[in-house]
Amino acid sequence: MTKDSAHAFASTLKTFKTASGKSGKFYSLRELAKQYPNVDKLPVSIRIVLESVLRNCDGQKVTPQHIEELANWAPNAERVDEIPFVVTRVVLQDFTGVPLLADLAAMRSVAQSLGKSPKAIEPLVPVDLVVDHSVMVDHYGTPKALDLNMKLEFQRNNERYQFMKWGMQAFDTFGVVPPGFGIVHQVNLEYFARGVYKSPHDKGDPPVYYPDSLVGTDSHTTMINGIGVVGWGVGGIEAEAAMLGQPVYFLTPDVVGFELTGKLREGVTATDLVLYVTAILRGEKVVGKFVEFFGPGAASIAVPDRATIGNMAPEYGATMGFFPVDEMTVAYFKGTGRTDAEIERFEAYYKAQGLFGMPGVGELNYTKIVKLDLGTVTPSLAGPKRPQDRIDLGHLSTKFSELYSKPQEANGFNQPAEKLKERYPLKEAGTTIGNGDVLIAAITSCTNTSNPSVMLAAGLLAKKAVEAGLKVKPHVKTSLAPGSRIVTEYLTKAGLLPYLEKLGFYLAGYGCTTCIGNAGDLTAEINESISKNELVGAAVLSGNRNFEARIHPNIKANFLASPPLVVAFAIAGNVMTDLMTQPVGKGKGGKDVYLGDIWPTPKEIDENLRFAMNAKSFRANYDKVKSEPGKFWTSIKGTTGNVYDWPQSTYIAEPPFFENFKMQPHATDAGFINARIMALFGDSITTDHISPAGAIKESSPAGIWLKAHGVAKADFNSYGSRRGHHEVMMRGTFANVRIKNLMIPADENGTQEEGGITRFQPGNEKMFIYDAAQKYMAARVPTVIFGGEEYGTGSSRDWAAKGTQLLGIKAVIARSFERIHRANLVGMGVLPLQFRGADSWQTLGLTGDEEVDVVIGGELKPQMDVKLVIRRFDGVHQEVTVRLRIDTPIEVDYYKHGGILPFVLRQLLAA
């Protein structure tokens, strides 16, 4: 930033005082409002972004015009202005963090090869990585599960963890929270977020303070919105740019105000509320928008419940689900062990800025207002394939029965209705298995495991269930994976952990586990029965994602539910048990026990909440990140030095994105001709479909490559853990077992073949997409992909874009794109093109054997019209106009440089 005297808005620099009389400087939005009166009516989230733009106005990356545009934000204006948002910090999880670290290491290798200082490549803002995505539920239902799973985790991931340790010593601003502490979002809420910050280089007396803001490489970074922090998930590609001093560029958003009134009824949880909010906002089409909660209902909700709602912003499609800072936020900071000085400064700053307190009705301007009376929320689940498909608890059994025989396009399972109730013997287990059986019951993931009210509710329900004589069905795989060690501590202090354990919910690990696809395997006997009898088994999890094949490749129906409902369904054993009218199970003396008999009362939950918010416990726990990182972590020895030496590994390899790097970009011609179609996809193709997490199939291209490099099937680990190796990830791109390439004709029953296959042209030969890509690239033939609505929803996987680029795919043409994946495609130099109006590949009658030209007339411009020429084998030509979804001027620059990484590297090395 330039010196104050040169700052275009130097008059807005003011002083604030804390309660104890300490001073700080700040860029005052109230002062700016004297010039732009509109500022006082802006949504709180927009004002926090505006503060960053104001403070970072240097006349180059951030100009006075940017401030003027944002200060004059109008609720329903056309969105053409681009905001350069400089964030305070960056947060990573290990699956996305490792490839990002590999890119930084590769940039240092390039710098050294060009005779420049490798230290020119250094994060300019603090970067924190939490290792939480690697632990798998291999062991469960035993007191030793945690230790056994962690031991396996360190064996499998030793090479990755060595690499992280190199990163910690090579970069000054890069920190790692080792495995076993918790989930990144909960660690972010409880530990990383300090309220307000000052630059480490600011030696002023007093220094300039500013609000916390961030981007993270996990789409559920939005959990931090629950404490009034502006932040969201981006791909690793954008996060790297933010780390290296680039502003995060995005179009000025619409802001949807969500007015909450009333109060939740007894027996209704925060999970039920978030499933309602998700269903409502999906219907409102909030993709790319900010959602800001306000009103008396929002003010009454505790911070962990707000965080639960913020967490699922990716599921309702919004960039953020934001709650302003108020007394509840300050109370949360006190309860989680922030220092008195931090809390005092935080409160004083927000009050001085006029940003403190939950806005009331009519106080601020919003693009649109959506309303919900909390009193109308009922117990719910969501599924079986999408998080936005909410089902009332009392309707689940009938809904599952209906979907069992409905066609796949109606979200069904396409099975003959007469088979629904059939059961099959499991000889080894001494029981039977059937459709709708709960095969996995997991208290997992970031959504709920950071929320004491629902975690205590699960413990209380377990206590009452055990006391009533209930047991979990033998075919259920149970697991407990809390968001942090604090959860285990308060469940233990409340005397509830032993009851969860009696029902099989032993601690399995601190991490995403089941929700990320690390559920571990089912028994061989169960897997065999599912395949042989085409069973539609169920998982019930307290997660936020339930896309097909994500939880376990053999479980087709996955339902999101609150932790107490997860326990209840583990006892009931089948999702066709109607828990509103039928017994959960038989207790002592064969007596029917109903859900109402074991459901905890609000009073019981409140009485136990005192165990959950203990400042001393939080401080003691997080002090151990540095002082006691754990024996496994301490024993890892990594390489040292500023430049990585890239030892032989099937986990980490130097990425190929900087091959033949030159300081001047070679001009890329955006258009191309004679492209072949790699795939025709339907709607809702997720990043799980494109770049799968979870298990690596032995017969897949990635499995074949690993075996050829001496890796035994037992040591394959997961795709997520191997994201640092492009050879594995390229082969895993479009290799999901449930993806359907509609170029492959359906069979006589109308069933579509699943898996990452295509038809190679000319010749119509069926083969893996990876193999076809290699043949097309060898012949220098460009390829394209066609998709439907919501292409690229799901986790912020940069490998979904990196893999697409490495397979030689030049453009993705779809009906609509998910926000992060669209940006990632541009960041990797792949053109996202969007159909206009009612156009689609179906209306064009494409079959996959056509050739495609992409014709760009003149200079590349954001959101310009582009011509597609379809050439069919019978000689007929057809033209259609599509929109270029390179949305902003900076994205044009990224694309011209061959992607964001070469662009940033050239800037750093030139400096």
Side-chain angles (χ1 to χ4, degrees):
M1 200 177 75
T2 53
K3 288 193 167 59
D4 296 342
S5 56
H7 196 289
F9 292 86
S11 64
T12 62
L13 189 63
K14 298 293 175 192
T15 303
F16 71 94
K17 273 202 163 28
T18 69
S20 64
K22 293 193 172 62
S23 296
K25 285 189 173 168
F26 74 116
Y27 280 89
S28 169
L29 296 171
R30 283 175 164 161
E31 196 61 31
L32 187 68
K34 291 177 182 172
Q35 196 170 338
Y36 302 106
N38 186 51
V39 167
D40 287 338
K41 297 284 279 182
L42 292 178
V44 176
S45 50
I46 292 288
R47 277 187 274 168
I48 292 173
V49 175
L50 177 59
E51 185 280 337
S52 168
V53 178
L54 173 63
R55 176 169 36 90
N56 290 290
C57 181
D58 60 1
Q60 292 162 324
K61 284 179 187 160
V62 185
T63 66
Q65 187 186 349
H66 287 125
I67 293 167
E68 186 173 336
E69 286 165 356
L70 193 54
N72 289 320
W73 179 89
N76 292 292
E78 193 188 349
R79 302 300 177 205
V80 291
D81 298 330
E82 183 180 63
I83 302 171
F85 181 37
V86 178
V87 295
T88 303
R89 58 195 179 90
V90 173
V91 171
L92 317 173
Q93 41 93 331
D94 57 309
F95 274 11
T96 46
V98 165
L100 185 148
L101 185 58
D103 290 344
L104 289 179
M107 287 182 182
R108 283 203 165 174
S109 297
V110 171
Q112 188 178 48
S113 71
L114 293 174
K116 307 214 176 227
S117 167
K119 288 293 275 182
I121 314 300
E122 177 73 51
L124 300 177
V125 298
V127 181
D128 290 296
L129 183 150
V130 180
V131 186
D132 68 346
H133 276 51
S134 299
V135 66
M136 291 179 160
V137 187
D138 292 289
H139 297 274
Y140 63 99
T142 157
K144 293 180 178 169
L146 175 69
D147 284 343
L148 292 169
N149 287 333
M150 276 194 78
K151 201 171 180 183
L152 274 173
E153 177 187 356
F154 275 86
Q155 279 169 13
R156 285 183 182 126
N157 295 286
N158 189 52
E159 290 169 38
R160 299 170 67 237
Y161 295 167
Q162 282 179 341
F163 182 51
M164 286 180 206
K165 278 206 153 176
W166 168 80
M168 286 171 78
Q169 63 80 46
F171 296 99
D172 299 334
T173 47
F174 180 84
V176 176
V177 175
F181 275 89
I183 289 169
V184 59
H185 314 302
Q186 188 154 352
V187 176
N188 197 12
L189 273 171
E190 295 175 353
Y191 177 52
F192 293 153
R194 310 315 296 188
V196 291
Y197 289 74
K198 70 178 183 70
S199 165
H201 310 297
D202 189 341
K203 304 294 182 240
D205 186 21
V208 174
Y209 287 98
Y210 45 90
D212 190 4
S213 63
L214 68 142
V215 287
T217 58
D218 187 299
S219 43
H220 297 105
T221 299
T222 50
M223 192 163 210
I224 203 73
N225 303 158
I227 56 170
V229 174
V230 167
W232 56 83
V234 294
I237 302 158
E238 285 176 278
E240 271 172 83
M243 280 164 46
L244 297 169
Q246 291 295 305
V248 175
Y249 291 94
F250 65 105
L251 280 179
T252 306
D254 288 352
V255 183
V256 174
F258 201 129
E259 183 189 336
L260 294 175
T261 56
K263 217 174 137 197
L264 290 176
R265 290 184 293 179
E266 189 170 325
V268 174
T269 67
T271 315
D272 303 321
L273 171 57
V274 75
L275 295 180
Y276 259 76
V277 168
T278 301
I280 290 166
L281 288 173
R282 262 291 163 194
E284 293 288 343
K285 297 203 175 344
V286 294
V287 172
K289 300 175 184 181
F290 287 5
V291 172
E292 185 166 305
F293 294 87
F294 71 98
S300 73
I301 297 176
V303 163
D305 295 1
R306 296 177 185 184
T308 301
I309 294 167
N311 177 286
M312 279 184 80
E315 280 68 42
Y316 41 86
T319 304
M320 288 202 298
F322 180 84
F323 285 82
V325 168
D326 63 1
E327 289 83 1
M328 289 278 202
T329 325
V330 173
Y332 181 79
F333 268 44
K334 284 177 180 164
T336 49
R338 269 67 170 197
T339 67
D340 292 344
E342 283 172 329
I343 294 164
E344 191 181 273
R345 192 185 304 125
F346 173 60
E347 191 170 355
Y349 177 91
Y350 272 82
K351 284 178 173 170
Q353 278 289 28
L355 294 172
F356 191 87
M358 189 62 68
V361 177
E363 284 181 25
L364 303 178
N365 295 329
Y366 296 108
T367 303
K368 182 180 186 178
I369 289 176
V370 179
K371 299 182 181 184
L372 175 64
D373 175 359
L374 298 177
T376 61
V377 175
T378 57
S380 306
L381 298 92
K385 299 177 187 179
R386 301 190 308 175
Q388 63 264 39
D389 296 334
R390 190 190 69 79
I391 304 167
D392 271 329
L393 177 58
H395 297 163
L396 178 64
S397 60
T398 49
K399 184 76 175 172
F400 179 84
S401 304
E402 281 167 23
L403 290 173
Y404 179 74
S405 48
K406 275 195 172 174
Q408 285 174 335
E409 52 272 23
N411 232 5
F413 299 106
N414 207 22
Q415 294 292 317
E418 61 275 11
K419 274 179 63 189
L420 176 64
K421 295 285 174 72
E422 285 180 14
R423 298 195 68 77
Y424 305 90
L426 292 174
K427 291 196 179 97
E428 285 171 37
T431 183
T432 60
I433 187 176
N435 294 300
D437 272 2
V438 177
L439 303 177
I440 288 178
I443 299 176
T444 173
S445 139
C446 41
T447 328
N448 296 284
T449 56
S450 38
N451 190 322
S453 64
V454 291
M455 293 302 285
L456 289 163
L460 287 161
L461 185 137
K463 180 174 190 273
K464 292 184 173 194
V466 169
E467 287 168 349
L470 294 173
K471 289 188 170 72
V472 166
K473 296 288 183 289
H475 53 67
V476 185
K477 179 173 185 174
T478 47
S479 60
L480 170 65
S484 86
R485 293 177 183 180
I486 296 291
V487 179
T488 323
E489 192 172 314
Y490 66 65
L491 284 173
T492 304
K493 281 181 181 166
L496 299 174
L497 195 60
Y499 295 101
L500 283 162
E501 289 173 346
K502 278 201 176 91
L503 294 176
F505 287 92
Y506 282 91
L507 189 59
Y510 295 99
C512 310
T513 62
T514 305
C515 190
I516 193 68
N518 285 354
D521 212 352
L522 304 171
T523 66
E525 191 182 25
I526 287 178
N527 278 331
E528 198 182 322
S529 187
I530 292 172
S531 302
K532 189 173 146 195
N533 304 304
E534 293 189 322
L535 288 175
V536 180
V540 182
L541 63 147
S542 66
N544 45 34
R545 291 274 162 89
N546 55 349
F547 305 129
E548 290 180 282
R550 181 186 178 100
I551 305 307
H552 187 282
N554 288 342
I555 296 182
K556 290 185 175 165
N558 300 290
F559 295 98
L560 308 181
S562 65
L565 279 181
V566 171
V567 179
F569 272 106
I571 296 165
N574 191 295
V575 295
M576 287 185 283
T577 303
D578 180 0
L579 293 187
M580 295 300 270
T581 60
Q582 293 173 292
V584 181
K586 291 203 182 290
K588 288 172 183 165
K591 184 181 168 228
D592 284 343
V593 180
Y594 290 84
L595 188 61
D597 302 330
I598 56 173
W599 196 265
T601 65
K603 186 167 180 281
E604 288 169 325
I605 294 168
D606 284 346
E607 282 169 355
N608 284 284
L609 274 173
R610 65 197 163 91
F611 297 115
M613 298 303 263
N614 182 318
K616 275 187 186 160
S617 295
F618 280 90
R619 277 199 288 269
N621 178 54
Y622 287 113
D623 281 349
K624 288 178 182 163
V625 170
K626 289 191 173 69
S627 65
E628 292 175 48
K631 62 179 181 190
F632 291 129
W633 186 255
T634 308
S635 68
I636 287 175
K637 300 287 177 270
T639 180
T640 56
N642 287 328
V643 181
Y644 196 58
D645 56 4
W646 305 108
Q648 275 296 309
S649 166
T650 56
Y651 279 96
I652 310 289
E654 186 168 6
F657 308 122
F658 305 104
E659 275 174 10
N660 308 315
F661 179 86
K662 305 266 187 310
M663 283 302 285
Q664 284 306 314
H666 52 270
T668 48
D669 186 9
F672 49 86
I673 57 169
N674 302 338
R676 286 293 185 178
I677 299 173
M678 187 68 84
L680 299 172
F681 292 130
D683 296 338
S684 296
I685 289 294
T686 70
T687 49
D688 281 24
H689 288 119
I690 305 166
S691 170
I696 299 172
K697 225 177 164 179
E698 206 169 355
S699 58
S700 70
I704 293 163
W705 185 88
L706 285 168
K707 280 202 299 193
H709 284 76
V711 180
K713 169 75 177 90
D715 299 323
F716 276 10
N717 209 331
S718 65
Y719 277 111
S721 66
R722 291 191 182 271
R723 280 190 199 178
H725 206 300
H726 58 278
E727 293 291 357
V728 176
M729 295 309 291
M730 280 166 71
R731 286 165 173 80
T733 304
F734 300 110
N736 184 292
V737 294
R738 291 281 172 266
I739 201 166
K740 297 181 189 82
N741 184 354
L742 303 177
M743 277 166 69
I744 311 293
D747 66 16
E748 62 275 9
N749 303 321
T751 303
Q752 195 72 44
E753 189 174 349
E754 296 176 324
I757 44 179
T758 188
R759 287 188 293 123
F760 181 82
Q761 305 296 353
N764 217 22
E765 187 189 346
K766 194 163 86 170
M767 62 179 71
F768 284 125
I769 284 175
Y770 170 79
D771 294 332
Q774 295 307 306
K775 287 183 74 166
Y776 283 130
M777 287 191 289
R780 303 205 161 181
V781 174
T783 50
V784 298
I785 276 178
F786 285 91
E789 297 279 4
E790 296 182 352
Y791 183 86
T793 55
S795 300
S796 57
R797 296 219 169 100
D798 49 343
W799 262 110
K802 285 177 172 177
T804 300
Q805 186 237 50
L806 291 178
L807 293 180
I809 293 157
K810 301 295 180 198
V812 178
I813 306 123
R815 294 266 307 138
S816 65
F817 289 91
E818 193 275 338
R819 176 183 65 85
I820 298 174
H821 187 58
R822 182 209 62 78
N824 279 349
L825 288 171
V826 178
M828 290 313 299
V830 178
L831 290 173
L833 301 170
Q834 189 162 335
F835 284 114
R836 305 195 322 171
D839 289 347
S840 67
W841 66 259
Q842 290 94 336
T843 62
L844 292 172
L846 299 183
T847 60
D849 49 12
E850 300 82 1
E851 288 186 310
V852 179
D853 300 346
V854 171
V855 183
I856 293 178
E859 184 68 18
L860 203 63
K861 289 191 179 69
Q863 300 216 359
M864 70 189 291
D865 284 347
V866 169
K867 191 162 67 180
L868 281 192
V869 182
I870 312 291
R871 287 184 287 112
R872 301 174 194 279
F873 68 94
D874 58 5
V876 175
H877 286 205
Q878 189 175 2
E879 291 185 2
V880 63
T881 303
V882 293
R883 171 157 292 153
L884 175 68
R885 286 301 311 277
I886 293 180
D887 285 358
T888 62
I890 191 72
E891 286 188 341
V892 172
D893 287 342
Y894 294 158
Y895 183 80
K896 285 179 175 172
H897 277 258
I900 196 169
L901 302 181
F903 173 85
V904 172
L905 182 55
R906 287 184 183 107
Q907 285 212 325
L908 289 169
L909 295 180

